[in-house]
Amino acid sequence: MTDTGQPDPTGTTARRAGWASMVGAIADWYDYFLYGTAAALVLGPLYFPGSNSTAGTLAAFATFAVGFFFRPVGSIFFGHFGDRIGRKRMLVLTMLLMGGSSTLIGVLPTYAQIGVAAPVLLVVLRAIQGFAVGGEWGGATLMAVESAPPQRKAFFGSVVQTGAYVGLLVATGAFYLFSSLLSDPAFLSWGWRVPFLASAVILGVGFWVRRGVEDTPEFRSAREEGKVRKVPLWSALRENPKSFLIVIGMRLGENVANYMVLTFAIAYATSRAGVSKNVLLVALIITSAASLFTVPLIARYADRYGYYRVYVFGAAAGICLAFPFFWSLDTGNTVVIILATLVVLTSAEIAMAAVQQPIFTELFDTEFRYSGAGFAYQFTAAVGGGLTPLIAAWLVDLGGGSGNLAAGYMALVCAIALATTVAVRRRIRATHKAADTGTPRGAARPSENTTLP
């Protein structure tokens, strides 16, 4: 696309927007995933000390959940101004807030040093992280998807997911490096802080890249046509109410599967199965590295054969693999655990996440897309991802240490995602069938990769 909103034959705009979205996503999600890993490994004893280690872990996961509940708030704020004054400015602000709060966590005194003020400040900084990332997905996704050619929207949109996994790779790698090089006392004392302090460097790189990109052609075109809404979120709720339910239903399974594996599995395997924390960290590093290839490949397949086909496969895989994944953790076998993590994340979570961007954004009109898609996405993150470690920990305790109830929860929400996706896909096919009536033989039929009427 060009500055006038017309197709860009060179693809320069799309590539620049894609790089800006990806680099910014790396910076923001590095910080966000860093906290999740720290919550599973060190934050409990440092900020919520007590004789009961399970209570400390639950408290740490509760602060993890706080960030999720501030994500919808952030999506409302950044979506409102992103739909009114532009995507780019909001993305720069989200990065500054995320990087700043993560750096401060790296220097935050512990409970032993300043008492109850330590966990209170930790919660505040986590809330700021959640507020910032609440505007990140919507803005970064729109920057990529709205600048992409029509037949490559999944591919360009997938850079956001790729950036998130690069952030996970770097965050997990940093924790693995310091936990391996340092003794447990040294790591617990100061080693865990270094990855948080490194946020300042990553922030600088991301800020430099993102501030040099222009706003999307679709947004500029909508603004020039006078389509800017006074309250974009209200317009989205009023004009596209079904789209919110679709996003929530489809995303719930992916989000729960994601944080069940990325966050809760670390705590479960180390405390219940006696597995070294480094085994899970290595599993996440390998999976994150593999995602650099699997995410774009899945997205390219979806551009050609259909977004919803891929999503159905991912949701079905989540149902089938939920119980085997927890059984693999119980074995304590390093190779089995690494392979299980790789298979579950790639075939279930990544398959769904790689095609979310064009599906969710195109369910809403351009003038309230940042607000509509962003709020629906982050609302699901709050009720799905944010509560997943807490719910899973409670279910494991309820089951006497067994992971079967937690696996059942994961399978259930993936079933909801599958049912929603199948229903939407059938509706699209029915719409196309009706549109085909009277169409000349040999004429082009609409693709599955279209929005609902």
Side-chain angles (χ1 to χ4, degrees), residues 331-349:
T331 67
N333 185 290
T334 299
V335 176
V336 171
I337 291 173
I338 291 175
L339 287 176
T341 302
L342 178 63
V343 170
V344 172
L345 283 178
T346 301
S347 60
E349 195 276 333

Side-chain angles (χ1 to χ4, degrees), residues 45-249:
L46 291 177
Y47 291 92
F48 306 95
S51 57
N52 190 328
S53 61
T54 300
T57 299
L58 285 171
F61 280 148
T63 65
F64 179 75
V66 165
F68 279 86
F69 286 105
F70 273 85
R71 284 170 67 167
V73 179
S75 72
I76 294 173
F77 175 86
F78 291 107
H80 178 83
F81 291 102
D83 279 327
R84 289 183 59 81
I85 65 177
R87 284 64 162 123
K88 173 187 171 180
R89 295 181 186 179
M90 296 301 103
L91 286 175
V92 172
L93 182 56
T94 63
M95 187 178 300
L96 291 174
L97 288 173
M98 178 64 80
S101 58
S102 294
T103 302
L104 290 175
I105 290 175
V107 298
L108 184 64
T110 65
Y111 185 93
Q113 295 170 318
I114 61 173
V116 72
V120 170
L121 290 174
L122 183 65
V123 170
V124 170
L125 292 173
R126 179 58 177 172
I128 294 174
Q129 279 192 327
F131 181 76
V133 84
E136 167 62 30
W137 181 87
T141 293
L142 295 186
M143 185 69 74
V145 172
E146 289 183 347
S147 301
Q151 293 77 30
R152 302 187 71 191
K153 288 189 178 293
F155 178 74
F156 278 94
S158 71
V159 301
V160 178
Q161 189 63 32
T162 301
Y165 269 100
V166 173
L168 172 63
L169 174 63
V170 178
T172 308
F175 258 94
Y176 177 76
L177 176 65
F178 283 94
S179 65
S180 299
L181 294 177
L182 301 174
S183 64
D184 286 343
F187 179 73
L188 198 63
S189 174
W190 60 270
W192 70 273
R193 296 182 181 274
V194 179
F196 281 96
L197 295 175
S199 299
V201 178
I202 298 175
L203 167 64
V205 175
F207 179 77
W208 177 75
V209 172
R210 208 167 246 188
R211 69 189 298 268
V213 72
E214 295 294 329
D215 239 318
T216 71
E218 287 189 31
F219 170 76
R220 293 199 300 271
S221 178
R223 184 171 56 187
E224 291 167 3
E225 294 173 8
K227 293 183 178 180
V228 175
R229 303 296 182 93
K230 186 175 181 180
V231 185
L233 180 58
W234 172 244
S235 298
L237 287 167
R238 186 179 67 249
E239 298 179 30
N240 290 152
K242 291 182 180 179
S243 295
F244 284 93
L245 298 178
I246 292 172
V247 173
I248 292 170

Side-chain angles (χ1 to χ4, degrees), residues 290-310:
S291 72
L292 303 185
F293 303 97
T294 57
V295 169
L297 286 175
I298 292 172
R300 292 193 68 173
Y301 178 92
D303 276 328
R304 184 172 182 179
Y305 296 106
Y307 308 148
Y308 292 93
R309 175 183 297 185
V310 173

